[in-house]
Amino acid sequence: MYTLPSLTAQKSVRSIAILTSGGDAPGMNPAIRGVVRAALHQGIEVFGINRGYSGLISDDMAPMSSSSVSNIVQRGGTILKSDRCEAFKKPDVRASAAEILRARGIDALVVIGGDGSLTGAHLLQQETGIEVIGLPGTIDNDIFGTDDTIGFDTAVNTALEAIDRIRDTASSHERHFLVEVMGRASGFIAIHVGMAAGAEMILVPERAIEIERISEELAAARRAGTGSSGIIVVAEGPEPGLTYRLAQQLKEHGQDPRVCILGHIQRGGSPTGHDRVLATCMGAMAVSYLGAGYSDIMVGVRDGQILDVPLEDIIRFRKGLDPTLLELALQVHR
Ligand code: F6P
């Protein structure tokens, strides 16, 4: 459970808008529901913007009611749709977005998304004065200032379920599998999935990959009769294709691994109970923060405490893997 900050209502908010942006994440729907239900409870009107910033700049939005978020808490994806909007990177486009919000009498915008989406929210606030609150919605868990992001827990569990299945065939055929998980340039998903799946090895962008060492360890385990099959979890890294290249290099060293790219499977599915609670708390707190006069912040969580993180910090600082966790994982999983 989370400890919530005690906030005092400072200002009257009449109308807000909400959008989801960037790669979708399981838990975005409970977050939307949390925002909408908390806002309506406080007499605040809510507009749902379709397709992220693209919908904002084309004025594609509609009022939301309590029933428009009924029966969505268990659904993956986002009922508001999402996209990666290149146009919103331009200041003049952000200026026209602010005009659209003002013309509709909307006081503030709630943005649920990853670091790119939250950067857009920060720039909108700085350049136009539109009040913004961000919620960390990404399976990658790579946002500075928060221990957890909406969707991470579900993605880890989805990958885990897939790996448990891969283990059956790996074991039957006495093969090694390179299983690629998402996470871009960060190894959060890989470390958590690797630990939970009891992977024989975990390869993350934070550590150099040594093909010869990996190949020797696989061969030694085979010779010793301790590892005829196994799972090597690989973080996808910043460029596509890494895992296929690794498999090729291991082949050149006498190994014959199979590759399984889990890909977008990790982004879908019903959010776990953990993600539903996190998203609901964060969504409702976004409304409380607005009422307490906050803006240009993200709602985060640290050591179980829900708190505010300046959006500027999210842009300035990078969240790294905890080196102790990395060390521990590599001791157990190589
Ligand atoms: O940021 C979330 C994420 O799922 C990353 O893990 C992944 O690299 C990327 O999005 C994939 O993006 P897209 O769905 O646009 O291909």
Side-chain angles (χ1 to χ4, degrees):
M1 239 319 145
Y2 302 106
T3 311
L4 306 178
S6 78
L7 301 170
T8 315
Q10 302 268 352
K11 60 186 286 199
S12 110
V13 181
R14 286 161 305 144
S15 177
I16 64 172
I18 177 170
L19 61 81
T20 48
S21 168
D24 63 347
M28 282 182 163
N29 280 331
I32 295 168
R33 178 174 171 272
V35 171
V36 171
R37 290 268 165 96
L40 295 176
H41 179 77
Q42 294 173 37
I44 301 169
E45 174 186 38
V46 187
F47 285 86
I49 300 174
N50 295 310
R51 294 177 294 105
Y53 289 119
S54 299
L56 171 56
I57 62 184
S58 56
D59 198 12
D60 179 6
M61 62 182 86
M64 296 185 84
S65 65
S66 186
S67 64
S68 57
V69 291
S70 292
N71 202 19
I72 66 165
V73 76
Q74 77 284 14
R75 284 171 56 191
T78 158
I79 58 162
L80 292 176
K81 316 265 185 232
S82 190
D83 85 337
R84 301 186 192 279
C85 179
E86 278 303 308
F88 204 70
K89 292 183 176 160
K90 297 184 192 146
D92 58 317
V93 174
R94 290 192 290 269
S96 67
E99 287 315 309
I100 288 171
L101 291 169
R102 286 205 175 96
R104 282 184 175 269
I106 293 169
D107 302 316
L109 177 68
V110 177
V111 173
I112 310 173
D115 53 358
S117 306
L118 299 180
T119 301
H122 171 67
L123 295 173
L124 179 71
Q125 199 284 331
Q126 291 291 304
E127 295 163 1
T128 70
I130 291 283
E131 303 201 341
V132 297
I133 301 279
L135 299 185
T138 168
I139 65 165
D140 296 349
N141 199 15
D142 59 350
I143 300 183
F144 178 85
T146 185
D147 293 341
D148 203 359
T149 57
I150 296 164
F152 174 66
D153 184 66
T154 308
V156 166
N157 281 290
T158 303
L160 194 53
E161 194 185 319
I163 291 178
D164 289 347
R165 289 167 196 263
I166 294 168
R167 255 200 200 281
D168 292 342
T169 177
S171 163
S172 306
H173 286 267
E174 300 190 290
R175 282 172 173 159
H176 283 93
F177 272 78
L178 298 173
V179 182
E180 182 182 295
V181 295
M182 277 188 166
R184 282 227 176 93
S186 78
F188 286 97
I189 296 180
I191 284 285
H192 283 77
V193 167
M195 287 179 86
E200 277 62 31
M201 286 184 199
I202 307 172
L203 307 180
V204 290
E206 289 81 356
R207 278 284 162 95
I209 293 174
E210 303 155 303
I211 290 293
E212 278 191 18
R213 179 185 65 80
I214 297 170
S215 170
E216 275 163 23
E217 286 189 17
L218 295 182
R222 240 184 236 282
R223 279 195 303 275
T226 54
S228 60
S229 71
I231 301 290
I232 302 172
V233 171
V234 187
E236 64 179 351
E239 284 170 35
L242 165 76
T243 308
Y244 283 111
R245 279 203 302 282
L246 277 180
Q248 185 53 40
Q249 287 167 328
L250 286 171
K251 276 196 176 137
E252 285 158 17
H253 283 77
Q255 304 298 321
D256 189 23
R258 294 295 187 271
V259 171
C260 180
I261 312 253
L262 295 183
H264 290 79
I265 277 183
Q266 296 156 99
R267 288 238 299 259
S270 182
T272 57
H274 173 91
D275 274 333
R276 294 183 202 189
V277 173
L278 177 70
T280 303
C281 287
M282 286 181 161
M285 285 310 297
V287 179
S288 302
Y289 275 114
L290 278 170
Y294 286 73
S295 178
D296 204 15
I297 57 130
M298 177 190 77
V299 182
V301 60
R302 252 180 273 155
D303 300 327
Q305 167 81 48
I306 298 282
L307 40 70
D308 60 289
V309 183
L311 284 178
E312 197 185 352
D313 287 0
I314 288 156
I315 298 159
R316 283 177 51 209
F317 304 113
R318 199 175 166 266
K319 177 174 169 188
L321 263 184
D322 177 350
T324 321
L325 177 70
L326 181 58
E327 213 37 64
L328 182 144
L330 297 179
Q331 275 173 32
V332 179
H333 303 271
R334 299 193 301 252

